Every structure is written in C-alpha cells, then in structure tokens.
Amino acid sequence: ISLLEYGFNNFTYLNLLADKETLATLPTINCAPGEPETVCLYIDKGFGAVFSKKDIHRIQQNITLNPDMLEERNGELALKAPLAAGQSVGQVIISLDGENLYSAALLVNDDLAAYPWWRRLIMPGALSCIIGTGLFALNRRRIRSRYLVNRY
C-alpha cells in the first residue's frame, strides 16, 4: 500500500496533446479569391504519459514549420498556398530536458487553393478595361452597320 501511495503522491498522468487538437492558426499568402486568410494546424494523434511531479515544469513543446512553405508578410510568417487538407507543414516535438518524448506532424485543416497564375499577369482593373473596350468596339460596329444598311 505504501508503494501505491508513493506513486500517487509523486507521479501524475498528463494528457499533453489531445487527438485532432488545433495547435496553431497561421495567416496564408497567395490564396485564391474567396479562400480563408488563415489556416488551422492540427495533430492527428495526441500524446499523454505518466510524469514525475518534479519534472512537469521542465516539459517543453516546440513547433517547427517547413521553411519552404513559409513567406514573410507584414513582419509575420505566413503559409504559401496551395495547401491540401492533411498536408504536413511542420512538426510538434514534446521534450523533457532535451530528450524528445514525442513528435507528430502538423497537418493543414482545409484545402487552400492558390491564386491563379493568369490573374497575377492581368490586374483586375486592366481586365475590366480590356473587356469594356471590346464590348464598346462590338457595339460601335453594330451601330455603324445598321446605319450603313438604313442609309442605302
């Protein structure tokens, strides 16, 4: 019985990460119109273990992101689109005194489409000017052909 009391007095179970827990929300860049401006990052499987009560304050959680998927925007890091739901963009590591206890991939919550390449080439204002000029020319041509038909 004294061994059980020692265990309950000096050790505790900690559920450090829950299943499907959202760990971070990051802004996005290069997204298609109508796509969300942020994306949630979650882990698929949680982690819990029994720890000494003396060690609890030394447990650390570190999040690292893949630098190829990041870009700086307005002084903060943002994820670059396109991103697929369930795509790994980094990892979370739980450690105690520098020893890794658990690591899991950080996954993207939703699909995120990229801004179409052709929309970057043609500014929205320029596109409307081109379409408007074309419509004006077609209408002018039609009016002129009616005038010539009615005149002769």
Side-chain angles (χ1 to χ4, degrees), residues 9-16 49-61 94-97 101:
N9 290 335
N10 294 309
F11 295 90
T12 187
Y13 177 81
L14 288 178
N15 189 18
L16 297 173
V50 175
F51 294 99
S52 169
K53 290 183 179 178
K54 296 175 190 174
D55 294 338
I56 292 175
H57 67 280
R58 296 192 322 251
I59 297 172
Q60 294 180 340
Q61 174 181 321
I94 304 292
S95 61
L96 175 63
D97 294 334
L101 302 175

Side-chain angles (χ1 to χ4, degrees), residues 49-91:
V50 175
F51 294 99
S52 169
K53 290 183 179 178
K54 296 175 190 174
D55 294 338
I56 292 175
H57 67 280
R58 296 192 322 251
I59 297 172
Q60 294 180 340
Q61 174 181 321
N62 296 319
I63 294 177
T64 56
L65 298 170
N66 184 350
D68 297 335
M69 298 180 162
L70 295 173
E71 193 169 306
E72 191 171 338
R73 179 183 74 174
N74 299 333
E76 63 180 9
L77 293 177
L79 284 171
K80 292 187 285 188
L83 297 169
Q87 179 180 351
S88 175
V89 294
Q91 68 177 2

Side-chain angles (χ1 to χ4, degrees), residues 4-152:
L4 287 174
E5 288 176 358
Y6 174 79
F8 286 121
N9 290 335
N10 294 309
F11 295 90
T12 187
Y13 177 81
L14 288 178
N15 189 18
L16 297 173
L17 300 170
D19 290 346
K20 307 286 185 191
E21 180 179 356
T22 299
L23 294 180
T25 303
L26 289 177
T28 56
I29 196 165
N30 191 31
C31 296
E35 293 288 340
E37 293 182 6
T38 59
V39 65
C40 294
L41 304 179
Y42 72 96
I43 58 167
D44 197 31
K45 188 172 185 207
F47 172 70
V50 175
F51 294 99
S52 169
K53 290 183 179 178
K54 296 175 190 174
D55 294 338
I56 292 175
H57 67 280
R58 296 192 322 251
I59 297 172
Q60 294 180 340
Q61 174 181 321
N62 296 319
I63 294 177
T64 56
L65 298 170
N66 184 350
D68 297 335
M69 298 180 162
L70 295 173
E71 193 169 306
E72 191 171 338
R73 179 183 74 174
N74 299 333
E76 63 180 9
L77 293 177
L79 284 171
K80 292 187 285 188
L83 297 169
Q87 179 180 351
S88 175
V89 294
Q91 68 177 2
V92 59
I93 298 172
I94 304 292
S95 61
L96 175 63
D97 294 334
E99 181 182 340
N100 291 349
L101 302 175
Y102 179 75
S103 67
L106 280 173
L107 307 173
V108 175
N109 198 22
D110 293 319
D111 288 329
L112 197 64
Y115 203 72
W117 63 269
W118 54 269
R119 297 254 338 237
R120 281 183 253 143
L121 294 176
I122 302 173
M123 296 183 309
L127 183 62
S128 62
C129 287
I130 292 169
I131 292 172
T133 303
L135 291 175
F136 176 76
L138 286 175
N139 191 30
R140 183 89 173 134
R141 188 179 201 185
R142 190 175 35 176
I143 291 172
R144 183 179 173 133
S145 65
R146 279 192 215 154
Y147 173 75
L148 290 175
V149 169
N150 291 338
R151 186 170 181 204
Y152 298 106

